[in-house]
Amino acid sequence: MKIRFKLLLLLLLVSIVPLVAVQTGVLESLHSLSGEIGGEVRSELVNKSSVELKRLVEDHARVLSKERKIVELRLQQLSAELTAWIEEGDMFVLPEILVDSTDHDTESDYERLQQKYGQHNFVMHGRREIDFNYVGYGSGYLGTADRIIQQRSTDAIFPLFKTIEQRNPNLTLWIKADFISGESLTYPARSTGMSMGQMMNESQPQTASILQENLLPTWSLPKKDPLTGRTVLTASLAIVVQGETVGSVSIDVPLDTLLSGNNHLNMFSHNIDSLLIKPQLNDNGTGVVEVVAKEVSGTNLKTMMHMWEPSTAEVMLSSSDSVLFSKFKELLKEGKSGVVSMPYKGRDSIWAFSAPDKRGISLVLILLYDDVVKPAENAKKFVTSVISQQYRSTFLVLVAVVLLVSILAFMLSHRFTKNILILAKGVKRIASGDFAAKVEISNADEVGELADNFNKMVPSLQEHIEIKSALDVAMEVQTNLLPQSSPHISGYDIYGESKYCDELGGDYFDYIKSYVDQENIRFTVGDVSGHGVPAAMLMGSIRGYVRARSLSSGTLGEVLADVNKLVAEDTCKTAQFMTMVMVELDPLKNELRWVRAGHDPALIFDHTQEEFIQLEGNGIALGAVAEATYSESCCFDLNAGQILILGTDGIWEASNSDGEFFGKERLWKVINSAKDLSAETLVETIFDAVHEFTGRNKQEDDLTVVVVKRNN
């Protein structure tokens, strides 16, 4: 089938088939998406609400704990100072730190009175029925004990009551001290405008008198304050004088003040239930959860002051899911906070609860699922309606697109394929070896640009092929210049190899028989500066010089001195040079002699040492100075188990991505780990270690290693 027909068919398939598939499947997919979106939003809302509710109750628990500690601290201050007041009598002086020096005018006190007690009828005949400027004294003498306090002595202790109320006005509704004699003190005082001497028999706000033998504060369950109608918690502490409990001091704390943070729960729902609960055992020993107080909805500040109501009858909290409710009770028993999803009054709900406090009371917030997921249901309905409308519009667009694509595909396929056929013929000519091939396409579009690049590519392609062929020949020639096999010497295992980073390289190694003593063998390793073709050409020349000079007698130093003169003539204008190290082995004596020409020293590995033994020596690189001289170093005995290593700096100067060098210390560790392997395997192990260290697919420098192992 011609390409023009294939292109036409492809365009039709690419356009029509997906569009038809979208048309048939879009409604089901979009409706499914709508359900998934609704489900995800529903799940997310439930999870978010659960997390937020739990955070709220835990925050309330922390705030409640902090405020409870504040109240208990105030109780301890009151108890301590009342004890000192009773013991010291007229000598009592209140510490200045407990005296509030801030002036509060009458108008400010009146505003606080209105805010705290919320009653306009606390003012009678121009005088306040509740007054912040007095401590109310109730005689209430029972006649069963000596009087403990005297009414006229309250002036000394009054600043303490006033300071505590002013410093914590929201946590203090009434402060009262009750004594076993029947006497009592109450702040603020309930006054009818009488003088202090006339107030002794006036009734005071009724606060529970709790006498405790221990010195720890105790808290009551929620109850109604008879004067203000507010739900309060009463904190009490014993007053101990000379080791005997003579009474108790108490603070009535408004429950709505402690739990004022609940006022923003309307962000979740207006139907949320806020309860104070207390787990306990019933008559038959079964664990139950009693509701001790419940939040009553309020719409303004006045009703908000009465938003918490204590239970007037015994009310038990329950759920139809007995398993989850048992888990809920177990968590309360363990003193933990948490979130549980279970029915409440027959409807699925989220229960968030705080850990019980010292009295065993917890705050529970119960939010109905329906209130949480209502936005998700509304969103799902909206998305469904939008999807239906979009489907109708999409169907019309699909029909129009199919028609348009079909017409355009038919009209353009012939014109497009015509130029492709011309390019195809040009490619066939190049494939047959006709590098004179050209295509004639004058279009100003991408196909025309492709034709221009095709015509420019042909000469470059021919040139690259010629260069590649020349490089292949050069690679083969250079490969043949290096030893094709390792020499066999009794008692020794020898292997060398070079790996170039480009097609051609400047590294060189060789095995050369000594002209004087044919039993001796010379190991030569060199490294030409640079890479590629220039380095390879110089390497080939130097190899020839070294081999030619080795046919005559002379020490290693004399050989390199003569070679250096020839190299200097070649490199005087190019500034190239070659470093070289040559080591001669006398296998009969196991003796080494060597000479260096600017190259790194040859290395001797001995597993008994912690680092290499280096065959040091002086000598400048070949080609640097024409008249340079080189001295032969002698001698080193190569013992059994020792390994001679000659290499180029591409090994120890190989670097990783962090710029760290491979180094000779790491090379020593690699050789130590593979010292018992053959020389060939040891060389491959070194190459693999360098490659793994650099982490690169292409090496950055030529690598050459020659290993001479003396067998045990």
Side-chain angles (χ1 to χ4, degrees), residues 274-288:
S274 302
L275 308 173
L276 288 179
I277 61 172
K278 182 177 183 180
Q280 57 187 11
L281 297 176
N282 57 15
D283 296 337
N284 58 12
T286 305
V288 295

Side-chain angles (χ1 to χ4, degrees), residues 360-580:
I361 293 179
S362 296
L363 171 65
V364 180
L365 304 178
I366 303 178
L367 177 61
L368 296 177
Y369 261 39
D370 293 341
D371 292 339
V372 176
V373 301
K374 186 180 296 182
E377 297 299 328
N378 294 337
K380 181 179 179 181
K381 293 179 181 178
F382 174 75
V383 172
T384 301
S385 64
V386 172
I387 288 174
S388 299
Q389 179 63 34
Q390 186 65 30
Y391 172 72
R392 291 188 291 269
S393 302
T394 302
F395 179 78
L396 298 176
V397 173
L398 293 179
V399 174
V401 169
V402 169
L403 293 176
L404 179 62
V405 169
S406 299
I407 294 172
L408 290 177
F410 181 78
M411 293 176 61
L412 298 178
S413 62
H414 175 72
R415 180 179 178 183
F416 182 71
T417 56
K418 177 182 177 181
N419 292 329
I420 292 179
L421 290 174
I422 295 175
L423 286 170
K425 291 179 181 179
V427 171
K428 288 180 180 179
R429 291 180 61 186
I430 292 176
S432 64
D434 182 7
F435 291 101
K438 288 189 176 182
V439 295
E440 299 295 336
I441 298 177
S442 58
N443 291 11
D445 55 12
E446 287 81 356
V447 176
E449 184 179 354
L450 178 61
D452 290 339
N453 290 331
F454 178 87
N455 293 332
K456 295 176 182 178
M457 175 195 70
V458 175
S460 298
L461 180 61
Q462 183 178 9
E463 181 180 352
H464 284 302
I465 290 176
E466 292 174 353
I467 293 174
K468 183 64 170 61
S469 298
L471 283 176
D472 290 341
V473 173
M475 286 176 59
E476 183 176 356
V477 170
Q478 187 175 33
T479 301
N480 291 330
L481 291 178
L482 298 176
Q484 302 301 303
S485 62
S486 299
H488 298 282
I489 300 177
S490 177
Y492 289 89
D493 184 8
I494 302 170
Y495 186 78
E497 186 176 353
S498 288
K499 289 183 178 291
Y500 295 142
C501 60
D502 297 323
E503 289 84 354
L504 301 174
D507 275 13
Y508 161 64
F509 79 96
D510 207 348
Y511 314 120
I512 304 173
K513 287 288 186 177
S514 172
Y515 173 79
V516 177
D517 190 345
Q518 289 296 312
E519 295 298 327
N520 292 2
I521 185 169
R522 296 173 178 174
F523 303 102
T524 304
V525 171
D527 185 3
V528 178
S529 59
H531 304 289
V533 175
M537 293 178 66
L538 182 58
M539 170 265 188
S541 298
I542 295 176
R543 175 189 179 275
Y545 297 155
V546 171
R547 281 187 164 255
R549 178 60 183 84
S550 297
L551 294 176
S552 303
S553 62
T555 64
L556 298 179
E558 293 172 344
V559 170
L560 287 193
D562 293 340
V563 170
N564 177 65
K565 293 179 181 179
L566 298 174
V567 175
E569 292 179 3
D570 295 338
T571 61
C572 62
K573 294 183 179 180
T574 64
Q576 285 183 289
F577 59 88
M578 172 186 267
T579 63
M580 181 178 289

Side-chain angles (χ1 to χ4, degrees), residues 58-235:
E58 290 177 344
D59 288 347
H60 284 311
R62 284 190 289 269
V63 172
L64 191 60
S65 176
K66 179 181 178 181
E67 293 178 337
R68 183 171 60 245
K69 291 178 181 178
I70 293 174
V71 173
E72 291 178 354
L73 176 62
R74 299 308 183 199
L75 277 176
Q76 292 169 353
Q77 292 174 340
L78 281 165
S79 177
E81 295 305 323
L82 284 172
T83 297
W85 175 54
I86 294 170
E87 291 178 342
E88 297 176 10
D90 295 338
M91 301 298 294
F92 173 76
V93 177
L94 190 66
E96 292 185 4
I97 193 172
L98 296 178
V99 178
D100 193 340
S101 60
T102 305
D103 293 332
H104 294 269
D105 57 24
T106 303
E107 188 63 30
S108 174
D109 283 345
Y110 181 74
E111 291 177 0
R112 290 199 301 117
L113 185 149
Q114 291 294 323
Q115 184 176 1
K116 286 184 63 171
Y117 301 96
Q119 297 291 337
H120 292 282
N121 58 5
F122 283 162
V123 178
M124 299 178 57
H125 307 296
R127 293 186 178 273
R128 297 173 188 162
E129 204 172 330
I130 296 177
D131 201 321
F132 289 108
N133 296 316
Y134 300 100
V135 173
Y137 170 72
S139 62
Y141 183 59
L142 301 176
T144 59
D146 295 337
R147 290 184 182 275
I148 296 175
I149 61 175
Q150 295 294 329
Q151 174 234 348
R152 294 182 179 179
S153 65
T154 57
D155 291 341
I157 201 68
F158 160 70
L160 173 64
F161 285 79
K162 184 172 183 179
T163 297
I164 289 178
E165 189 279 333
Q166 287 179 345
R167 290 181 179 177
N168 305 99
N170 293 330
L171 296 178
T172 308
L173 186 63
W174 303 108
I175 304 174
K176 186 173 181 181
D178 294 297
F179 299 91
I180 58 177
S181 63
E183 297 170 283
S184 64
L185 298 176
T186 305
Y187 184 82
R190 184 183 179 196
S191 172
T192 58
M194 296 179 291
S195 66
M196 286 294 295
Q198 296 171 312
M199 293 171 58
M200 294 180 58
N201 296 318
E202 288 300 313
S203 61
Q204 301 297 330
Q206 298 300 312
T207 304
S209 177
I210 304 175
L211 300 181
Q212 297 292 329
E213 294 299 330
N214 58 43
L215 299 179
L216 298 177
T218 60
W219 289 79
S220 70
L221 292 176
K223 62 183 180 181
K224 278 283 189 180
D225 177 65
L227 288 180
T228 64
R230 299 176 72 176
T231 300
V232 298
L233 297 175
T234 300

